[in-house]
Amino acid sequence: MTKSVAGRVWFGVTAVVVALGIVIQLFVTANGTEGFYPDNPERVLNVFAYFTIQSNLLLGATCLLLALDPDRPRGAVFRTLRLNGVLCIAVTGIVYHLALAGLDELSGWSAFTNLLVHTVTPLLGVLGWLLFGPRRQTDGRIVGWSLVFPLLWLAFTLIRGEGTGFYPYPFMDVGLHGYGQVLLNCLLVALLFLALAAGATFLDRRIGQKATVER
């Protein structure tokens, strides 16, 4: 199996795992009783307000495109979305395991989908990017554009939370912590995102140069 074929298989598997995790999560939520919203369809629609789900969608969509056509033209939009998918899923995995794991006691399908979207897809996403790229896609301009999505998500979440009282994660709950602490918490996550972006830019350039030399 060539590296190109292996990459397409990896991206395809990643897209399938993402889809599986999200679909199971929707069914679990639709048939559950816990949560901020007591009734459907609000319960199900609210799943998409979570950064975890958004980052999985970004990763899954870009991996699906790469699995279907790894040589597709890569303009600024795709390069930005690809970087967003990798960085956001990495942030999801890191923040979950450092700050959120263990807050809820999960079992059955809830535990299974939680494992998929918080652990398996972050590993698949980051390892897939490291192993199969694509390379030479990241620079300062793309990193700058990649900040747009998380900033928009943060603004949407805080504005919506002010009106509804719902915040997807405890460290973002303004009612519990106040805006000062919440913004500080978000700043720490933003610094993590920027550190990962800097590391991705360096590695993309370094691995790309090495691949060019080996050819």
Side-chain angles (χ1 to χ4, degrees):
M1 181 183 295
T2 66
K3 186 173 183 179
S4 176
V5 173
R8 294 185 71 174
V9 171
W10 188 288
F11 294 136
V13 169
T14 301
V16 169
V17 173
V18 166
L20 184 64
I22 293 176
V23 169
I24 295 175
Q25 181 63 68
L26 292 175
F27 275 103
V28 168
T29 302
N31 292 284
T33 57
E34 298 180 355
F36 186 82
Y37 291 96
D39 302 310
N40 292 314
E42 290 86 358
R43 286 176 57 83
V44 172
L45 293 176
N46 195 52
V47 169
F48 295 99
Y50 284 83
F51 189 83
T52 296
I53 301 301
Q54 294 287 328
S55 61
N56 270 270
L57 286 172
L58 281 169
L59 177 71
T62 52
C63 282
L64 177 61
L65 291 174
L66 287 170
L68 294 174
D69 183 9
D71 298 320
R72 60 180 288 103
R74 298 173 190 137
V77 173
F78 178 80
R79 291 164 63 193
T80 300
L81 293 176
R82 173 63 176 153
L83 182 61
N84 262 141
V86 174
L87 294 180
C88 290
I89 204 68
V91 168
T92 292
I94 293 170
V95 172
Y96 173 77
H97 285 283
L98 288 181
L100 301 173
L103 294 181
D104 297 314
E105 293 186 7
L106 303 174
S107 61
W109 288 109
S110 295
F112 179 66
T113 190
N114 184 71
L115 175 67
L116 290 183
V117 300
H118 288 117
T119 303
V120 178
T121 57
L123 289 174
L124 287 173
V126 173
L127 286 175
W129 181 84
L130 287 170
L131 293 171
F132 304 110
R135 298 274 73 88
R136 296 181 178 274
Q137 302 295 301
T138 304
D139 55 31
R141 181 171 67 98
I142 298 301
V143 169
W145 279 113
S146 73
L147 297 174
V148 173
F149 165 71
L151 288 175
L152 287 176
W153 179 84
L154 175 61
F156 166 79
T157 299
L158 292 179
I159 292 171
R160 181 176 183 243
E162 186 67 28
T164 64
F166 170 78
Y167 298 92
Y169 304 105
F171 65 86
M172 296 185 68
D173 193 331
V174 175
L176 287 176
H177 307 296
Y179 274 104
Q181 184 62 52
V182 166
L183 291 176
L184 177 60
N185 294 340
C186 292
L187 176 61
L188 294 176
V189 176
L191 291 175
L192 171 63
F193 185 95
L194 290 173
L196 292 173
T201 303
F202 171 79
L203 286 174
D204 186 46
R205 185 181 302 116
R206 188 69 177 269
I207 298 173
Q209 289 173 346
K210 183 179 180 181
T212 301
V213 171
E214 289 177 350
R215 289 177 189 170

